[in-house]
Amino acid sequence: MDNNIYVTRSSMPPYEEYIEMIKPLWESHKLTNMGENHKKLESELKKYLGVKNVSLMTNGHMALEMALQAMHLSGEVITTPFTFVSTTHAIVRNNLTPVFCDINERDLTIDVDKIEELITEKTSAIVPVHVYGHICDVERIEQIAKKYNLKVIYDAAHAFGVTYKDRSITAYGDASILSFHATKVFNTIEGGAVVYESEKLGHELYGLKNFGIRNELTIDGVGANAKMDEFRAIMGLCNLKYVDQEARKRELIVSTYQKELNGINGIRYFDKQKSVRPNYSYFPIIIDENKYGICRDDLYDRLKEYGIFTRKYFYPLVSNTECYSKNYYYKNLEIASNISERVLTLPLYSELSIENVKRICGLINNIGG
Ligand code: T4K
């Protein structure tokens, strides 16, 4: 038995429930291509999120690639380097040029005060990220986008279930993408979705995820294949029943972390944002070496010795990765660079016991110099 504690652990529904739900597939043999469960999950998610349209995709990355492609963008896209590489890859794979904007220290999302200075005549869109489920300043971003006639596509991979002013955070912008990867608060094993309003965009997305096929005789676009199959749609339907229950467990874990870490010199965590219902998807801390006594990398290594496997999400900064540092030129990413050297995400999943949370905090307390 593996007694290690990892940064997360997939949520799974009761075994019997999943088996019961997949049994009919042995009768129907209808395994994919927008089957019954695919349709059902789309409609359940619309209800759960309270949004107009949801288009399921095979994963969050393809959701972003497809959403960007469906917008027919060109030129430059302003985005954040403090994210998972998928965000930038999706931009570049659409033949667009990423222009990195620094983040704010408050919640680590894109710094809205620095967006306008990066806008040129080539800018066509902004791709902000609700990193860790911390929401971006959606109101300021909307103002900027209107002023310069830019599209806004939110990478909401971490933000399933997050609301702002009682409205799903995915309802903001021209579209938002979600990830339903095994490591996310809501999972379909692999999976994702685009949340959007425009029916025209929905038509494009459907074509893009299904080879451009409209019917047996009509193929009206150069599409890819990004469909979700029935097994994964069923996993989603099962997991969705438990997502609120899981969120309450995560909430307790987060409040325990906050209580136990409170007062440890040089360890900073993030409080709930105003008017936001969080989803407790990640628990990042920022280490101030001067006050804590040792640096982030040393804390990461020391915790490992005790079988606690934290993660350096998001280090290296995307702009410093091999595939981007040589091909693009960026400047003024001071905060993102600094945070990426000092951030550590602690284990967080619904089955993590409060006893273990206290143990992790005790270790963090003792390890500090
Ligand atoms: N945009 C953003 C901002 C994202 O963060 C992501 C994905 C995307 C877009 C793209 O969405 P997807 O195409 O992935 O749907 C993970 C995930 O693979 C990735 O989905 C996620 N973000 C990223 C932040 O983290 P790794 O390489 O850290 O995962 P891995 O395999 O090391 O897993 C971490 C821990 O999770 C393991 O130690 C144990 C646990 N785990 C993992 C897997 C795979 C499980 O409990 N069950 C599992 O099946 O990337």
Side-chain angles (χ1 to χ4, degrees), residues 262-273:
N262 190 22
I264 303 182
N265 216 2
I267 299 288
R268 175 189 163 209
Y269 54 77
F270 295 83
D271 290 321
K272 191 177 101 49
Q273 292 172 288

Side-chain angles (χ1 to χ4, degrees), residues 6-10 59-61 83-84 86-87 129 155 157-158 179 181-184 191 282 311 313-314:
Y6 298 95
V7 70
T8 193
R9 186 174 158 90
S10 298
N59 56 49
H61 177 81
T83 182
F84 190 53
S86 165
T87 316
V129 180
D155 182 336
H158 301 173
S179 163
H181 183 260
T183 53
K184 299 295 188 290
Y282 292 86
R311 289 299 283 266
Y313 296 138
F314 288 99

Side-chain angles (χ1 to χ4, degrees), residues 26-224:
W26 270 260
E27 292 269 312
S28 71
H29 290 241
K30 176 86 177 131
L31 307 184
T32 187
N33 288 3
M34 278 62 107
E36 198 186 309
N37 295 287
H38 181 285
K39 290 194 189 98
K40 193 158 177 225
L41 182 58
E42 280 189 346
S43 115
E44 294 281 315
L45 285 171
K46 273 198 280 186
K47 263 192 272 166
Y48 183 84
L49 298 169
V51 293
K52 199 159 172 223
N53 290 305
V54 169
S55 179
L56 285 178
M57 296 279 169
T58 193
N59 56 49
H61 177 81
M62 287 310 285
L64 188 53
E65 270 201 36
M66 305 279 102
L68 292 168
Q69 196 175 345
M71 303 259 176
H72 302 286
L73 304 169
S74 62
E76 298 172 359
V77 171
I78 298 174
T79 189
T80 163
F82 190 69
T83 182
F84 190 53
V85 278
S86 165
T87 316
T88 318
H89 286 348
I91 293 169
V92 175
R93 287 169 58 81
N94 267 290
N95 293 320
L96 298 161
T97 305
V99 174
F100 289 122
C101 180
D102 208 355
I103 56 171
N104 73 71
E105 212 154 2
R106 206 175 46 255
D107 53 38
L108 314 185
T109 64
I110 195 162
D111 185 343
V112 288
D113 291 328
K114 294 181 181 159
I115 293 178
E116 285 194 79
E117 65 201 53
L118 297 172
I119 295 174
T120 70
E121 69 282 356
K122 290 191 197 140
T123 310
S124 60
I126 312 175
V127 177
V129 180
H130 301 302
V131 69
Y132 310 126
H134 299 175
I135 69 156
C136 304
D137 186 340
V138 287
E139 278 142 4
R140 280 286 302 286
I141 291 170
E142 190 176 325
Q143 280 167 8
I144 297 169
K146 267 207 183 118
K147 184 169 163 194
Y148 295 93
N149 193 24
L150 305 175
K151 295 280 186 206
V152 180
I153 303 97
Y154 282 104
D155 182 336
H158 301 173
F160 182 85
V162 174
T163 64
Y164 175 56
K165 295 185 177 168
D166 297 324
R167 186 176 175 223
S168 169
I169 197 63
T170 59
Y172 293 83
D174 295 284
S176 292
I177 71 95
L178 289 164
S179 163
F180 305 147
H181 183 260
T183 53
K184 299 295 188 290
V185 284
F186 166 70
N187 86 75
T188 60
I189 308 172
E190 288 269 2
V194 183
V195 180
Y196 61 96
E197 282 230 348
S198 151
E199 301 300 334
K200 189 170 162 282
L201 188 73
H203 183 78
E204 297 253 5
L205 287 169
Y206 190 94
L208 284 172
K209 75 175 173 186
N210 190 29
F211 308 104
I213 298 174
R214 299 296 170 188
N215 59 48
E216 276 183 47
L217 301 179
T218 316
I219 296 153
D220 65 3
V222 188

Side-chain angles (χ1 to χ4, degrees), residues 319-353:
S319 46
N320 291 339
T321 55
E322 269 188 42
C323 72
Y324 295 116
S325 65
K326 293 191 188 78
N327 301 328
Y328 299 90
Y329 172 68
Y330 307 109
K331 52 178 185 173
N332 302 335
L333 298 177
E334 279 96 9
I335 296 173
S337 306
N338 180 282
I339 293 290
S340 132
E341 299 274 344
R342 298 199 286 128
V343 70
L344 200 62
T345 43
L346 301 184
L348 174 52
Y349 47 92
S350 63
E351 283 176 12
L352 182 65
S353 69

